[in-house]
Amino acid sequence: MHQQFQLFSGNNDDDIEFFPLVPLEEDDNGKSIADENYGEVLPILPLRNTVLFPGVVMPLSVGRDKSVRAIKEANNKNKFIGVLAQKTADDDDPELKDLYKVGTIAKIVKMLKMPDGSTTIIIQGRTRFKVSEYLTSEPHITARIATYEVQSEADENDRFFKALMASIKDITTQIVNMSPNIPPEAGVVLRNIDSPAFLLNFVSSNLNIEASEKQALLEISDLKERATKTLEYLYAELQIAELKDEIQSKARNDMDKQQREYFLNQQIKTIQEELGDSTAQEMNDFEKRAAKKKWSKEVKTVFDKELHRLQRINPMMPDHGVAMNYIELMLDLPWNEFSTDRLDLKRAQAVLDKEHYGLDKVKNRILEYLAVLKLKGDMKSPILCFVGPPGVGKTSLGKSIAHAMKRKYVRMSLGGLRDEAEIRGHRRTYIGAMPGRIIQLLKKVQTSNPVFILDEIEKVGADFRGDPASALLEVLDPEQNSTFHDNYLDVEYDLSNVMFIATANSLNGMHPALLDRMEIIQISGYSAEEKIEIAKTHLVPQQRQAHGLTAKHITLSPKILRKVIDEYTRESGVRSLDRRIATLMRAVAKSVALEEPYNPRLSEADVTRILGVKRHDSEMYSDENPAGVAIGLAWTESGGDILFIETSLSQGKGNLTLTGNLGDVMKESATTALSYLKAHATDLGIDNARFEQTNFHIHVPEGAIPKDGPSAGVTMLSALASALTGRKIRPYIAMTGEITLRGKVLPVGGIKEKVLAARRAGLKEVVLCHSNRKDVEEINPLFISDLQFTYVKTMSEMLDKTLAH
């Protein structure tokens, strides 16, 4: 049912706001209202959207000219007017054929002139009438009327009719009680209605049905038939009310915290919209920022779609934050935004030379790239991989390259990385999803062509969360990274202009496909002379500044630096040297702060006092060793080192024992060396019977350190041959090379590091494979002028050069 106070909305001033009331006296053809004389001709008032029933009081706002003239004429005469419902509510000037023939005679109870100039009347329905004929349509409609006979009372003994009316009253009361929008006064009105005819009129007026259906009820003359039809409508409305009440009750019972929050949030959203919150302003800001972006059509389509989706999400819902973060990421990324490269090759070379000593191969490669970029104007960035021991400046070299090219610099450490999502990001369906670190760092650096350092790339791991090394294949492939796909971003991003530089200490264990995608540049360890230059040019000035000192406070001569390098460091890089210099600076800073007397030009005695006794002694490597002891050269991730191979013979059955934490390759080298000596025993003057009667024990000191690789093959051969022949290894000699059963000596890697290690140890001669001559020639001759190099091709040549005669 309609609520008792109900507003009908429309496009015309005749829209109706009405509330049914019980009249003082109501009768339909009962003629109990002082036998009122309505007359035979009445002005006609068309109504739309509703039907007036006898006994119902209704206020009307009248705006149409014809209607105003009709009510004025009626008000000036006997105050009676015929009210007819329109067949179509949207007709502002209905024709006579657009009006129903049956209506209600109404009395104008009151007529008011409103402040806005409109006219409001209060009318009360009296009785039904029928239009006999229309007399005029201008200046208003008039019609000759006839009484529309209806049954006003039923038989008192009609039990069926009484039951009908009781049902109507009960159902109407139920609907009123179940409908929160109907005021409780309606129940009071119902209880005070005794007349069956008026009860039907009252209920019919308030039914939630179409105006045409109400008109049909108005035209039913039989009271019982009208009651039956009204009851049908009431039952339908009761079912709807019960269903609504059931749904609402179930919704209330099933509503959990999230649902309650949703409805509250909807109300908050409405309030915020009324108050003018900042959401609309944020959307406008997003659109303005998007208009300035240089993204592709595909990316713009995705952004527009996500922005429209964001506008539809309640700001208090969790999805709003996810969508907001995605939109902000897209706007923060530097789509097709590049920094301008500095193509002045001479200046770039000056910057590289100033910030790094040596490393000519790397510097030339960067200058070549800049040269092509200058000539061509556009070129995919190279993907380089700097491989070398720690502390040689691989990472800092990347920063210098960025400085030389005037590009932004960004670094990503891959050490211990095990989750593929760190590279490609998480899908947005996951809680706490984030883009990969590559996209995050590009957002941070705000350019699409930075120098991007992938530090410690060989230390990438793999577990159940995926293989990051495989994810890097797309990033480091020049043919694929122009369409890099991040799971969170979910649109292609161009990485082809990024200059990726990977760093690694070793290529061992690195993904073969990953190696194939990068240009490998080996960075060898520094010689003592190079370290002195680096210390003078970079380390000492930096440490002075870090400790608040100046050149007048402390001076380190090349001789002092050489002492620190030889006696307190053992490395290929300069990190330990930097720490030792920092120790010297702190000691001087203390003296300056305490105003103690000291000599700014540090002496060797000052160095020993500050740094303590020397930690490394080259004398132990150059002493004359007994037969069976040989010195080999090894390559480690921290640079080159020397390696003692000790052999001991004892009475036995020809067993070979290997100790010193050796790997499989090193063990195989020992077996190969012994087999070769057995096969060539006669040539070396060794009794074949000794092999069957002697046990061989080869030991490599520093057993806590794992050792492996083929380069100790010649050293093991020489140590075994020395023990079996009794001929000592020549003093001050070191060797490296792989051996075969055919008697060949094969080349090995890491020659520069090994040669520098031999020089640091005070050795004077290095014996190595003839094929390694090219590696030695790449070393600055000034750094190895005090070393002698002997090249061999066969194992017999190796023994001839290493065994004392």
Side-chain angles (χ1 to χ4, degrees), residues 342 344-353 367 370 404-405:
R342 178 189 286 133
D344 186 345
L345 270 64
K346 291 183 179 179
R347 190 181 186 285
Q349 184 169 14
V351 170
L352 292 173
D353 290 340
L367 293 174
L370 289 176
M405 298 174 66

Side-chain angles (χ1 to χ4, degrees), residues 572-634:
S572 293
V574 292
R575 284 203 180 116
S576 292
L577 175 60
D578 193 34
R579 287 192 287 268
R580 301 293 174 262
I581 293 173
T583 303
L584 298 175
M585 295 292 174
R586 288 195 297 272
V588 172
K590 177 185 174 184
S591 298
V592 173
L594 295 175
E595 299 181 355
E596 297 174 345
Y598 75 99
N599 185 2
R601 189 174 184 84
L602 297 187
S603 64
E604 293 186 7
D606 294 328
V607 172
T608 303
R609 175 177 55 82
I610 296 171
L611 299 181
V613 296
K614 60 182 179 181
R615 303 186 180 187
H616 304 284
D617 190 356
S618 61
E619 297 296 325
M620 61 181 293
Y621 302 124
S622 56
D623 290 340
E624 187 174 336
N625 295 308
V629 178
I631 300 176
L633 297 175

Side-chain angles (χ1 to χ4, degrees), residues 97-108:
K97 62 182 179 62
D98 296 327
L99 302 177
Y100 288 105
K101 292 287 187 177
V102 176
T104 301
I105 297 174
K107 183 175 182 179
I108 300 175

Side-chain angles (χ1 to χ4, degrees), residues 15-309:
D15 298 341
I16 302 166
E17 181 184 1
F18 73 91
F19 46 95
L21 298 173
V22 181
L24 297 176
E25 298 180 23
E26 41 89 20
D27 197 358
D28 194 14
N29 289 340
K31 301 180 181 179
S32 60
I33 310 176
D35 295 329
E36 291 176 322
N37 182 16
Y38 306 123
E40 296 182 355
V41 177
L42 287 178
I44 300 299
L45 175 66
L47 280 189
R48 47 185 183 179
N49 296 318
T50 192
V51 175
L52 177 66
F53 283 82
V56 175
V57 176
M58 182 184 296
L60 294 176
S61 178
V62 183
R64 291 184 288 195
D65 292 338
K66 283 186 178 181
S67 300
V68 171
R69 287 192 289 268
I71 62 174
K72 283 183 177 180
E73 180 182 334
N75 192 53
N76 292 332
K77 292 183 178 179
N78 59 2
K79 297 187 182 295
F80 290 112
I81 190 168
V83 178
L84 292 176
Q86 295 181 199
K87 295 178 181 179
T88 55
D90 57 352
D91 194 349
D92 288 340
D93 187 15
E95 298 180 5
L96 299 179
K97 62 182 179 62
D98 296 327
L99 302 177
Y100 288 105
K101 292 287 187 177
V102 176
T104 301
I105 297 174
K107 183 175 182 179
I108 300 175
V109 178
K110 196 171 185 65
M111 181 173 176
L112 302 171
K113 194 72 173 178
M114 305 306 291
D116 61 355
S118 62
T119 301
T120 297
I121 60 172
I122 298 175
I123 59 175
Q124 182 185 46
R126 292 302 196 189
T127 186
R128 291 170 175 80
F129 76 93
K130 185 176 182 180
V131 175
S132 299
E133 64 174 320
Y134 289 107
L135 301 178
T136 63
S137 59
E138 294 294 341
H140 58 80
I141 302 173
T142 58
R144 190 181 303 279
I145 63 170
T147 302
Y148 191 78
E149 296 293 337
V150 295
Q151 184 181 1
S152 60
E153 294 186 9
D155 186 354
E156 293 182 357
N157 298 321
D158 192 341
R159 298 172 62 188
F160 177 76
F161 181 74
K162 288 182 178 180
L164 269 178
M165 297 309 297
S167 298
I168 288 174
K169 186 173 285 191
D170 289 344
I171 292 174
T172 305
T173 303
Q174 290 182 51
I175 294 174
V176 169
N177 294 334
M178 293 174 62
S179 301
N181 295 327
I182 299 179
E185 289 83 357
V188 178
V189 172
L190 283 171
R191 286 192 297 271
N192 289 292
I193 296 177
D194 296 325
S195 169
F198 179 69
L199 178 63
L200 290 177
N201 290 339
F202 175 76
V203 172
S204 300
S205 179
N206 284 278
L207 284 173
N208 190 17
I209 56 178
E210 296 292 333
S212 59
E213 294 173 312
K214 288 186 179 182
Q215 179 69 28
L217 286 175
L218 182 70
E219 295 177 5
I220 297 175
S221 59
D222 184 71
L223 200 58
K224 186 184 296 185
E225 181 184 350
R226 196 189 321 155
T228 303
K229 191 67 177 176
T230 302
L231 186 61
E232 289 179 8
Y233 287 129
L234 284 173
Y235 268 124
E237 191 159 340
L238 177 63
Q239 289 176 351
I240 293 173
E242 288 176 341
L243 185 59
K244 286 173 63 177
D245 187 64
E246 180 183 350
I247 292 172
Q248 291 171 0
S249 176
K250 184 178 180 181
R252 283 193 298 270
N253 293 334
D254 295 343
M255 190 182 301
D256 56 13
K257 180 179 179 182
Q258 181 179 356
Q259 290 172 314
R260 288 197 299 272
E261 288 179 353
Y262 173 76
F263 289 116
L264 290 172
N265 290 333
Q266 287 295 103
Q267 294 178 5
I268 292 173
K269 180 181 178 182
T270 303
I271 293 171
Q272 289 175 337
E273 288 176 352
E274 291 294 327
L275 295 176
D277 66 332
S278 60
T279 304
Q281 182 62 39
E282 287 181 345
M283 298 304 156
N284 291 334
D285 291 343
F286 288 157
E287 290 175 354
K288 290 178 182 177
R289 291 175 61 189
K292 299 177 183 178
K293 285 292 175 182
K294 304 174 183 177
W295 45 32
S296 63
K297 182 179 179 182
E298 293 78 10
V299 177
K300 185 179 186 305
T301 301
V302 173
F303 175 82
D304 291 341
K305 178 181 176 183
E306 291 296 327
L307 186 60
H308 292 155
R309 176 174 172 269

